[in-house]
């Protein structure tokens, strides 16, 4: 079968994968990046604080990804400073995002982040394909020119570097699915005594799991209603976990339903990607009996947060420019503050919070009248 080249969708990859995908398309041609998605895995390993994680170690992730993409690592080095860096067409770097000025994590959060470094006159050009929305702003693919002083500031503690060249082009995309039992994984997050740490960790976990499943579906050409529904459920779960994490961090109750939903999503992986079972998501929104004054109050908050609001008769928020899970949380907190209510933990589900009437129903359930 002849594979039709497909442009790289940066939204499918995590911050370690994405720039290996960039290199693969450069070296082997457009569409090569999808070879990375043929593996679908749920294989947790022990993480910090006794919490399991599906996030692989960088070295093992780079090695496996390079093999899948037809890349070959010719050198790996831990450098102590930017002076030891050797920019070039295959210079792949992993460093602390806290120090990288082009990502929203700059001075906000420590995490490992990849990028490519090319020579550019007296400085370097950084190429980073990462695409994500964060609570501190948006990360988008781009190129940035740094002089020597700026590069030194970006790598104060050094970095892990790889020299990567083309290997044999990937021959095909035979799927490899490895799904471990999820019971202990879910139970650990549900029962961990540090609820803030557990929900913050689970936010990253569901984000990684959601992206990997979208990548696998794209790589395998799984374009069925069942798969779309399953991926939508993963998206909704990731948003709900983020909302739960924000609430727990603020000292509020958490919706315990997220753990049953997580178990269901992991169980459904076994069938959804084989096309043997359908998945449906019913709306939890009750659009009947919402007083106009409540709807107007909710719409006013939406306009304040997003700069624009829903048009008359509109219900879903997803099409409003600027809306995201982070803005969703701002809308919830602003509604609670302005209307003097507190949403029930079990109402913190995207099916309600991404829908005008769902927000109105949550206000009414919390005792709001305007």
């Amino acid at each position: 079968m002849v594979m039709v080249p497909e442009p790289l969708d940066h939204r499918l990859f995590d911050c370690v994968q994405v720039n290996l995908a960039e290199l693969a398309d450069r070296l082997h041609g457009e569409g090569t990046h999808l070879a990375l998605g043929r593996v679908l895995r749920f294989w947790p390993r022990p993480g910090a604080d006794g919490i399991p994680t599906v996030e692989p170690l960088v070295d093992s992730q780079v090695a496996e990804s390079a093999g899948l993409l037809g890349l070959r690592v010719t050198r790996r080095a831990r450098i102590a400073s930017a002076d030891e860096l050797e920019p070039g067409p295959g210079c792949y770097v992993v460093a602390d995002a806290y120090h990288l000025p082009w990502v929203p994590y700059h001075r906000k959060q420590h995490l490992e982040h990849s990028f490519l470094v090319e020579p550019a006159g007296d400085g370097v050009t950084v190429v980073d394909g990462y695409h994500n929305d964060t609570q501190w702003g948006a990360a988008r693919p781009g190129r940035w020119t740094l002089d020597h002083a700026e590069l030194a500031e970006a790598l104060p503690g050094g970095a892990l570097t790889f020299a990567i060249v083309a290997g044999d082009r990937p021959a095909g995309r035979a799927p490899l699915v490895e799904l471990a039992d999820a019971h202990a994984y879910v139970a650990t997050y549900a029962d961990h005594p540090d609820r803030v740490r557990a929900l913050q960790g689970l936010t990253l976990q569901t984000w990684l799991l959601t992206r990997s499943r979208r990548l696998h579906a794209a790589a395998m050409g799984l374009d069925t209603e069942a798969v779309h529904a399953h991926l939508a459920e993963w998206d909704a779960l990731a948003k709900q976990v983020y909302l739960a994490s924000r609430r727990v961090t603020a000292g509020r109750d958490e919706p315990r339903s997220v753990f049953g939903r997580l178990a269901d999503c992991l169980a459904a992986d076994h069938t959804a990607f084989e096309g043997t079972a359908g998945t449906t998501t019913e709306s939890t929104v009750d659009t009947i009996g919402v007083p106009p004054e409540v709807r107007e109050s909710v719409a006013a908050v939406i306009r304040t947060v997003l700069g624009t609001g829903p048009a008359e008769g509109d219900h879903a928020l997803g099409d409003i420019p600027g809306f995201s899970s982070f803005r969703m949380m701002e809308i919830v907190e602003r509604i609670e503050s302005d209307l003097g209510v507190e949403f029930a933990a079990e109402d913190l589900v995207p099916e309600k919070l991404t829908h005008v009437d769902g927000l109105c129903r949550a206000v009414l359930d919390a005792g709001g009248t305007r």
Side-chain angles (χ1 to χ4, degrees), residues 122-271:
D122 292 333
V124 299
T125 294
V126 166
V127 179
D128 187 353
Y130 189 53
H131 187 296
N132 192 27
D133 293 317
T134 81
Q135 64 193 90
W136 304 290
R140 293 294 183 267
R143 301 171 65 90
W144 295 266
T145 299
L146 277 62
D147 60 28
H148 288 297
E150 290 170 328
L151 182 61
E153 290 180 5
L155 302 176
L160 183 61
T161 67
F162 299 83
I164 298 177
V165 299
D168 294 334
R169 181 181 174 85
R173 296 184 199 156
L176 174 62
V177 179
E178 298 178 333
L179 303 174
D181 181 79
H183 177 77
Y185 176 87
V186 175
T188 301
Y189 280 97
D191 300 334
H192 194 275
D194 187 339
R195 300 313 301 150
V196 173
R197 174 69 183 86
L199 268 298
Q200 287 177 346
L202 192 57
T203 298
L204 173 62
Q205 296 294 293
T206 52
W207 183 89
L208 289 170
L209 288 165
T210 300
R211 284 211 171 189
S212 64
R213 278 130 186 82
R214 286 202 169 277
L215 175 58
H216 182 71
M220 297 296 100
L222 304 178
D223 191 22
T224 67
E225 290 185 9
V227 169
H228 286 302
H230 183 55
L231 295 176
E233 182 64 8
W234 269 111
D235 282 336
L237 171 64
K239 291 182 174 70
Q240 186 183 3
V241 170
Y242 170 71
L243 291 167
S245 177
R246 286 284 294 262
R247 303 290 278 197
V248 170
T249 300
R252 313 275 280 278
D253 291 338
E254 65 182 273
R256 299 293 296 176
S257 60
V258 298
F259 303 105
R261 195 172 196 178
L262 172 61
D264 289 344
C265 281
L266 289 167
D269 280 344
H270 290 268
T271 53

Side-chain angles (χ1 to χ4, degrees), residues 251-322:
R252 313 275 280 278
D253 291 338
E254 65 182 273
R256 299 293 296 176
S257 60
V258 298
F259 303 105
R261 195 172 196 178
L262 172 61
D264 289 344
C265 281
L266 289 167
D269 280 344
H270 290 268
T271 53
F273 294 110
E274 298 172 2
T276 57
T279 305
T280 60
T281 302
E282 295 184 3
S283 173
T284 61
V285 174
D286 179 1
T287 61
I288 299 173
V290 174
E293 58 270 23
V294 172
R295 191 178 196 279
E296 177 50 39
S297 295
V298 169
V301 171
I302 294 169
R303 285 193 292 271
T304 298
V305 174
L306 299 181
T308 185
E312 185 66 30
D314 284 351
H315 299 285
L317 302 184
D319 293 332
I320 299 178

